[in-house]
Amino acid sequence: MAAEQSMQTPVTASGDTRIHNIGYRSYDGPRLGRAYARLSLYSQSLRGSYGLGRSVKSKVLPMLLFVVMCVPAAIMVAVAVATKANDLPVDYTRYAIVMQAVISLYVASQAPQSVSRDLRFKTVPLYFSRPIETADYVRAKFAALASALFILTAAPLLVLYIGALLAKLDFTDQTKGFAQGLVSVALLSLLFAGIGLVIASVTPRRGFGIAAVIAVLTISYGAVSTLQAIAETQNSGDGIAWIGLFSPITLIDGVQSAFLGATSAFPGGVGPSDAEGAVYVLFSLGLIAACYALLMRRYKKVGL
C-alpha cells in the first residue's frame, strides 16, 4: 500500500509545482515460502485443466471430454445390470486403450493451456523472481496435468466398479481388476502429461501446441500399429513387442499386458513376455524422467 508525501517548492513566478515522494510500506504479514507457492501453482493449474475459475468457454471442452469418458462406462454398467451378465463388457485395464482418442484430445487441449500462455505473455520470469524456483514450477505443472489426467481416466473406472458391485459381480475379481486399472491409468497419466508438456513448452502459440501434441500421439500410434500389423503378416512375431516401444499408448498396453493381467491389443493378441515387459516398464519410466529433465532445461533458459 503506497503512502504519499508531498511538499511544495516554488519554481517559477507562474505558480508552484508538487514533487511526490511515493514510498512503499514493507510487508509485515506471514511469509509462507516456496512450499505454499508451489502448492498454489499446482492447485490453480489443476483447476485450470477443467476450466474452474475461468470463463464458461474454457470449461466446455474439458467438461465435455470428461462426460464422453464416463458415458460409455455408464452404458456398459447398465447393460451388465439389465442382462445380468457375469462380467463387464470391457476390462478395467482395457478401457483407457479403447478411449485413447479422447485422452489424446484432452492432453492436446490442456497441455498448451497449462504452459503456453505463460510463455506467450512472458510471465515465467515473474514466477521465478521469488520465492518459487524452476524445479517448483516444473513439478507443479507436471503434477497438475498428471492429476487432471488421472481424474479423467480413473473416473470411468470408478463408474465401472460401482456398477459391477451393484450388479452383484464377484467382489474379489472386480476389486482386483479395479486396482490394476488404477495402476495402469496412473502410469498413463504421468507419461502423457510429460509428453504433452514437453511439446507444448516449445512454442508460445497455443494452436501450434495443440496440433503438435495431436500429431505426435496419433501419428506415433498409427505408425506403430501399422508396422506391428506388417510384422504379423510377415510372421515376425518377435518384432511386434519391440515395435510397441515407440508409441505412448502401446507402451502402456505392453506394461499392463505383461504385469497387470490385461489382454493385449497387439496384433494376434500376444503381448510382450515378462522380460520384454520389464523393458517396457524401464522405457516408460525413463521417458517420464526424460520429459521432466527436458522441462527443467527448457525453463531454466526461459527464466534467465
Side-chain angles (χ1 to χ4, degrees), residues 142 145 189-199 288 291-292 295:
F142 202 137
L145 186 57
S189 300
L190 288 171
L191 183 59
F192 275 53
I195 294 173
L197 288 175
V198 167
I199 297 171
I288 293 170
C291 289
Y292 177 79
L295 286 170

Side-chain angles (χ1 to χ4, degrees), residues 93 150 157 176-190 252 255-256 259-260:
T93 50
F150 184 75
L157 301 187
K176 179 181 178 181
F178 179 58
Q180 291 172 337
L182 291 180
V183 172
S184 175
V185 297
L187 181 60
L188 181 147
S189 300
L190 288 171
I252 302 300
V255 171
Q256 64 182 21
F259 298 114
L260 297 177

Side-chain angles (χ1 to χ4, degrees), residues 18-276:
R18 288 186 177 184
I19 299 175
H20 297 276
N21 180 18
I22 300 177
Y24 292 90
R25 296 178 182 175
S26 61
Y27 176 74
D28 55 2
R31 299 184 181 275
L32 301 176
R34 286 176 58 191
Y36 181 81
R38 185 169 56 243
L39 180 60
S40 298
L41 182 58
Y42 165 78
S43 63
Q44 290 300 318
S45 299
L46 178 57
R47 285 166 54 84
S49 295
Y50 285 96
L52 302 178
R54 300 175 61 203
S55 64
V56 175
K57 184 174 68 174
S58 300
K59 297 179 176 68
V60 173
L61 183 58
M63 292 299 182
L64 178 61
L65 293 176
F66 182 83
V67 172
V68 171
M69 281 292 293
C70 293
V71 166
I75 294 174
M76 292 176 190
V77 166
V79 171
V81 172
T83 60
K84 297 182 180 180
N86 295 323
D87 205 349
L88 293 172
V90 175
D91 293 337
Y92 295 97
T93 50
R94 182 80 179 138
Y95 193 86
I97 305 297
V98 174
M99 303 296 290
Q100 60 176 292
V102 180
I103 299 171
S104 298
L105 184 57
Y106 181 87
V107 176
S109 64
Q110 298 309 311
Q113 184 276 137
S114 181
V115 296
S116 294
R117 292 192 306 165
D118 291 342
L119 295 172
R120 183 177 180 181
F121 296 110
K122 303 184 186 304
T123 57
V124 175
L126 298 179
Y127 282 113
F128 300 158
S129 59
R130 62 177 187 180
I132 201 170
E133 297 183 0
T134 305
D136 300 318
Y137 181 88
V138 171
R139 290 169 188 167
K141 292 292 184 178
F142 202 137
L145 186 57
S147 299
L149 276 168
F150 184 75
I151 293 171
L152 180 77
T153 53
L157 301 187
L158 182 61
V159 173
L160 288 174
Y161 180 65
I162 294 174
L165 297 183
L166 292 175
K168 298 182 179 180
L169 301 182
D170 186 77
F171 175 80
T172 302
D173 290 343
Q174 297 304 316
T175 302
K176 179 181 178 181
F178 179 58
Q180 291 172 337
L182 291 180
V183 172
S184 175
V185 297
L187 181 60
L188 181 147
S189 300
L190 288 171
L191 183 59
F192 275 53
I195 294 173
L197 288 175
V198 167
I199 297 171
S201 67
V202 174
T203 174
R205 300 284 185 177
R206 184 181 178 187
F208 291 162
I210 292 173
V213 173
I214 291 176
V216 169
L217 294 178
T218 57
I219 292 175
S220 64
Y221 178 73
V224 165
S225 299
T226 301
L227 291 174
Q228 286 179 326
I230 293 173
E232 184 189 22
T233 60
Q234 298 294 328
N235 296 321
S236 301
D238 295 339
I240 293 177
W242 300 116
I243 295 172
L245 291 171
F246 298 97
S247 169
I249 198 67
T250 52
L251 267 176
I252 302 300
D253 192 335
V255 171
Q256 64 182 21
S257 61
F259 298 114
L260 297 177
T263 301
S264 177
F266 289 0
V270 179
S273 62
D274 290 346
E276 293 168 338

